[in-house]
Amino acid sequence: MAASIAYVGGHLQYGVNFCMGQSYKQAIWVPSVTFNGCLQRELSWSCGVSKFLQIRKCNLFQSRTNENWKSFGTVITSAYLRDGSTKYFDFAVIGSGVAGLRYALEVAKHGSVAIITKAEPHESNTNYAQGGVSAVLCPSDSVESHMQDTIVAGAYLCDEETVKVVCTEGPDRIRELTAMGASFDHGDDGNLHLAREGGHSHHRIVHAADMTGREIERALLEAVVNDPNISVFKHHFAIDLLTSQDGSDTVCHGIDALNTETQEVVRFISKVTLLASGGAGHIYPSTTNPLVATGDGMAMAHRAQAVISNMEFVQFHPTALADEGLPIKPKKTRENSFLITEAVRGDGGILYNLSMERFMPLYDERAELAPRDVVARSIDDQLKKRNEKYVLLDISHKPREKILSHFPNIANECLQHGLDITQQPIPVVPAAHYMCGGVRAGLQGETDVHGLYAAGEVACTGLHGANRLASNSLLEALVFARRAVQPSINHMKSSSLDLSASSLWTCPLVPKSLGSDVMHKILRITKEVRKELQSIMWKYVGIVRSTSRLQEAEQKIGKLEAKWETYLFEHGWQQTMVALEACEMRNLFCCAKLVVSSALARHESRGLHYMTDFPHLEESKRLPTVIFPSSHTTGTWSSRQLHQQPIVNSMV
């Protein structure tokens, strides 16, 4: 049974939602219920209860090969980790972007910290964030104005309490970064140069040219490297969270990770775990995200019984570089799309179709400064109507010196391909950019799993609602990384590490026994399946959607996953086996299904979620979409934790 709350028309309604069989039924409303001792006026995400939604299924896309799963997937190994491959820390941090690093630096003052990162520490979405961080730092600006811009951009689905907290605390987080050595651009008057981006009513974007994320990442990494209480484990891929059941509560005790350089599994037992693993851009073929963004944290949390929210709201950045329109095309296909920052439009950039007709005023009175969802849909409409592959973004009418000083990284990238942005327009096309949904987190970053916190893009705090306002993502990561610190410290101090805990969970296996020929075949098939999944998501679950196309995506993804899993297990794969590509694939499947299931549940068009058969915004549906934990007894490989959940009490 899952508690649920609805917010409709300014009035809270209480209800209880029952899971019957294999699918959640519609909520049944009852007049007065209190949850966790919270009074009616205090109910919010921070109470550990959601402001409700609509629910789809307990087990997303029930696999058509459950019998195959039972046949091949019940092989349980008795092997455990060898001595020395278990590590004990007070805090484990999954991810090395701004959220993970900022959190680690604070909790390191109170205990030992492991930062577990998939590739090199700097390889994160933070590092690719060009525009900047939004914060109220100008006397003519106000917290109320920033809140209003955020809520309007979020199509009024934002959690107002969360918005207030983030907009109020944002300026202090910027000042902390400056004190730590982050260098931001200043104007001639000596004050911070504040840019303006789409959806913002004021100049409030703190930036370091067009490489803001890289500068923040540099400053934080430098501090982390110099902190003796922090250990960074690079090239460690997080496989699954280690959890146990304490009555009806799920408790997190750390994670299993695969050292992708040595091909060894390392178990991290920790008192507190922070998920800061970023987004899931690579469920789409064209994304501004780095290769590491395969939704690992969202999928792990879902498998560990955490609540997931608002996954239908995938933000497509309107302006990624369209390689097809460059004079000199790249020699090989990019691993991720090159982002053309929002700030180009904020500085006066104008969008044209290939006939050099300005089109944004036809769609929105704010023209190029409209929120991203509006601009992306407008470009998508132009491309489909005109049967063209890209549009043009022109900033060349601005002074050359200003262009080169504000956008040196973009200018250099384009120049390498024969295009001078001071004289020529930039070919651009929308690309998957940011997940507004994720693991539901409260005002202290807490999740429904005890000992597990979430911050950054992996989390859904309620800030972004149905569409993220430009440059609010780094801000959210900074604010929630700091807000998660004190409750994490409190949890750490009230917990103790069980040095025998490592033996409670089955050890994941590296599939050396399958042989190189079989593994080569599995990896080749997995690569093909990944491309096919991305193609399905782009074609059926893109910028413009419909119920029939979402249902078709659901069927196609279910069949594709079943086919892939059958191939794996027929070639000797076991439930507990792990390899980087295969584990990424299961996470991509899991996140894709979460997106489709959430999209099918929302029968309206709001923010980033546009439905041709429900084209209007419905006030009665101004509710977050929530996916409650699924059953452990059935499901596909992507929806199950690799280890057997131990039946033990919480180790606290």
Side-chain angles (χ1 to χ4, degrees):
M1 187 175 74
S4 56
I5 302 170
Y7 181 80
V8 184
H11 300 285
L12 285 170
Q13 299 177 346
Y14 304 86
V16 177
N17 190 73
F18 295 89
C19 179
M20 302 177 179
Q22 296 306 309
S23 62
Y24 276 110
K25 304 299 180 183
Q26 184 61 38
I28 303 169
W29 302 117
V30 293
S32 58
V33 183
T34 7
F35 298 103
N36 297 343
C38 295
L39 298 175
Q40 177 176 343
R41 65 179 180 274
E42 297 174 328
L43 282 165
S44 73
W45 283 28
S46 62
C47 238
V49 187
S50 69
K51 286 179 182 174
F52 189 86
L53 68 9
Q54 305 136 46
I55 307 218
R56 288 276 305 159
K57 301 177 181 178
C58 273
N59 296 294
L60 302 173
F61 299 13
Q62 197 64 43
S63 171
R64 292 166 176 77
T65 57
N66 275 346
E67 293 308 311
N68 288 335
W69 168 252
K70 290 173 185 174
S71 301
F72 297 108
T74 54
V75 180
I76 304 298
T77 175
S78 60
Y80 292 101
L81 293 163
R82 61 179 176 76
D83 293 341
S85 59
T86 300
K87 302 182 184 298
Y88 298 86
F89 287 88
D90 293 312
F91 305 93
V93 178
I94 305 172
S96 58
V98 60
L101 297 180
R102 190 68 193 90
Y103 173 90
L105 287 167
E106 291 300 319
V107 296
K109 299 171 185 176
H110 302 270
S112 58
V113 184
I115 295 178
I116 299 138
T117 187
K118 192 170 174 179
E120 292 294 322
H122 67 269
E123 190 67 5
S124 66
N125 278 353
T126 295
N127 200 46
Y128 289 81
Q130 294 178 357
V133 190
S134 60
V136 177
L137 294 165
C138 175
S140 63
D141 198 1
S142 68
V143 168
E144 291 73 22
S145 178
H146 192 181
M147 288 179 61
Q148 180 66 12
D149 291 346
T150 298
I151 291 168
V152 169
Y156 296 91
L157 195 66
C158 308
D159 182 82
E160 190 170 342
E161 187 177 4
T162 302
V163 175
K164 184 176 181 180
V165 162
V166 173
C167 294
T168 301
E169 297 181 7
D172 285 341
R173 303 291 81 85
I174 300 297
R175 295 182 189 104
E176 287 174 355
L177 284 179
T178 303
M180 293 174 65
S183 179
F184 299 114
D185 289 357
H186 288 69
D188 295 336
D189 59 1
N191 294 320
L192 284 170
H193 181 272
L194 302 176
R196 184 182 175 191
E197 295 180 351
H200 288 274
S201 59
H202 290 74
H203 288 75
R204 63 167 72 101
I205 314 300
V206 180
H207 62 99
D210 57 352
M211 296 171 283
T212 310
R214 190 178 303 176
E215 173 58 19
I216 294 173
E217 185 86 357
R218 180 204 61 77
L220 292 175
L221 272 175
E222 193 172 294
V224 162
V225 168
N226 292 324
D227 194 313
N229 274 0
I230 301 176
S231 301
V232 179
F233 295 87
K234 62 182 181 179
H235 299 289
H236 278 63
F237 172 77
I239 300 166
D240 261 330
L241 296 166
L242 301 171
T243 59
S244 69
Q245 293 301 123
D246 183 9
S248 61
D249 295 330
T250 302
V251 185
C252 182
H253 307 286
I255 70 154
D256 276 337
L258 175 66
N259 183 329
T260 55
E261 292 187 321
T262 66
Q263 293 300 304
E264 294 178 320
V265 174
V266 182
R267 179 158 286 170
F268 292 86
I269 302 293
S270 59
K271 298 176 184 177
V272 178
T273 302
L274 176 77
L275 267 182
S277 52
H282 280 274
I283 59 175
Y284 292 95
S286 179
T287 176
T288 61
N289 292 185
L291 273 176
V292 293
T294 52
D296 308 320
M298 296 168 184
M300 281 192 295
H302 177 62
R303 291 192 291 265
Q305 306 294 287
V307 172
I308 307 294
S309 189
N310 286 359
M311 288 292 284
E312 69 269 37
F313 299 117
V314 180
Q315 187 173 77
F316 290 83
H317 199 289
T319 55
L321 188 63
D323 290 342
E324 285 184 308
L326 292 170
I328 303 173
K329 295 174 178 56
K331 293 180 180 178
K332 61 178 182 178
T333 304
R334 296 179 193 269
E335 293 177 342
N336 55 294
S337 302
F338 185 82
L339 179 66
I340 306 297
T341 174
E342 190 100 9
V344 173
R345 283 181 286 121
D347 259 16
I350 298 173
L351 285 164
Y352 298 96
N353 58 34
L354 296 190
S355 297
M356 290 308 292
E357 299 166 340
R358 187 182 183 188
F359 58 84
M360 275 311 302
L362 301 175
Y363 295 94
D364 194 285
E365 62 183 10
R366 294 163 291 185
E368 282 78 13
L369 290 179
R372 290 178 178 178
D373 60 324
V374 175
V375 180
R377 276 197 301 276
S378 302
I379 294 174
D380 183 70
D381 187 56
Q382 284 285 305
L383 297 180
K384 288 174 179 174
K385 282 181 177 177
R386 298 173 58 84
N387 194 28
E388 293 172 349
K389 295 185 176 180
Y390 56 88
V391 296
L392 300 169
L393 176 59
D394 190 20
I395 191 72
S396 65
H397 51 280
K398 293 292 181 178
R400 176 182 175 85
E401 297 74 21
K402 182 179 180 180
I403 295 171
L404 295 179
S405 64
H406 285 189
F407 311 113
N409 189 38
I410 293 172
N412 181 61
E413 178 67 24
C414 290
L415 200 58
Q416 289 183 32
H417 300 286
L419 190 145
D420 182 353
I421 69 170
T422 67
Q423 298 183 40
Q424 300 164 276
I426 308 166
V428 294
V429 68
H433 183 59
Y434 188 88
M435 303 295 294
C436 291
V439 183
R440 195 190 66 187
L443 284 176
Q444 275 71 48
E446 75 278 15
T447 72
D448 297 84
V449 177
H450 292 279
L452 179 68
Y453 296 81
E457 190 175 350
V458 71
C460 182
T461 65
L463 174 68
H464 306 308
N467 178 40
R468 175 174 69 87
L469 180 64
S471 290
N472 266 3
S473 52
L474 290 177
L475 179 72
E476 179 195 38
L478 288 166
V479 169
F480 277 91
R482 286 290 280 114
R483 291 185 70 85
V485 168
Q486 193 55 54
S488 295
I489 293 167
N490 295 341
H491 188 92
M492 183 272 293
K493 289 181 177 179
S494 66
S495 304
S496 59
L497 285 175
D498 185 341
L499 298 182
S500 65
S502 182
S503 62
L504 292 173
W505 296 276
T506 307
C507 172
L509 297 172
V510 177
K512 295 177 181 177
S513 61
L514 298 185
S516 59
D517 288 347
V518 170
M519 278 307 300
H520 178 74
K521 291 178 182 177
I522 286 175
L523 294 180
R524 178 177 57 80
I525 292 296
T526 299
K527 188 175 181 180
E528 292 173 3
V529 167
R530 178 166 171 159
K531 288 182 178 179
E532 192 170 345
L533 174 67
Q534 292 171 333
S535 178
I536 292 168
M537 291 297 291
W538 188 258
K539 184 175 181 180
Y540 297 100
V541 200
I543 296 171
V544 176
R545 303 163 177 174
S546 70
T547 299
S548 62
R549 293 176 71 77
L550 288 172
Q551 289 172 338
E552 193 166 350
E554 184 178 54
Q555 293 172 358
K556 287 179 179 292
I557 292 170
K559 289 179 181 178
L560 182 64
E561 182 181 31
K563 178 182 175 182
W564 177 66
E565 288 190 2
T566 299
Y567 185 90
L568 257 62
F569 292 116
E570 285 180 346
H571 283 76
W573 197 266
Q574 296 179 21
Q575 176 191 351
T576 54
M577 282 184 172
V578 292
L580 174 63
E581 295 85 353
C583 287
E584 281 188 334
M585 192 67 247
R586 73 196 285 257
N587 292 338
L588 290 167
F589 269 124
C590 183
C591 288
K593 293 187 294 184
L594 289 169
V595 170
V596 175
S597 186
S598 298
L600 278 167
R602 184 168 294 281
H603 297 166
E604 65 164 348
S605 289
R606 185 181 294 272
L608 298 163
H609 176 70
Y610 186 83
M611 297 280 282
T612 56
D613 46 343
F614 298 103
H616 303 297
L617 186 147
E618 300 286 345
E619 177 59 23
S620 64
K621 300 184 185 301
R622 184 164 62 87
L623 309 162
T625 307
V626 178
I627 296 175
F628 285 103
S630 59
S631 166
H632 271 291
T633 58
T634 57
T636 63
W637 191 49
S638 72
S639 62
R640 295 170 58 106
Q641 288 178 306
L642 295 186
H643 60 71
Q644 290 285 90
Q645 270 208 322
I647 309 301
V648 296
N649 288 328
S650 167
M651 297 178 291
V652 295

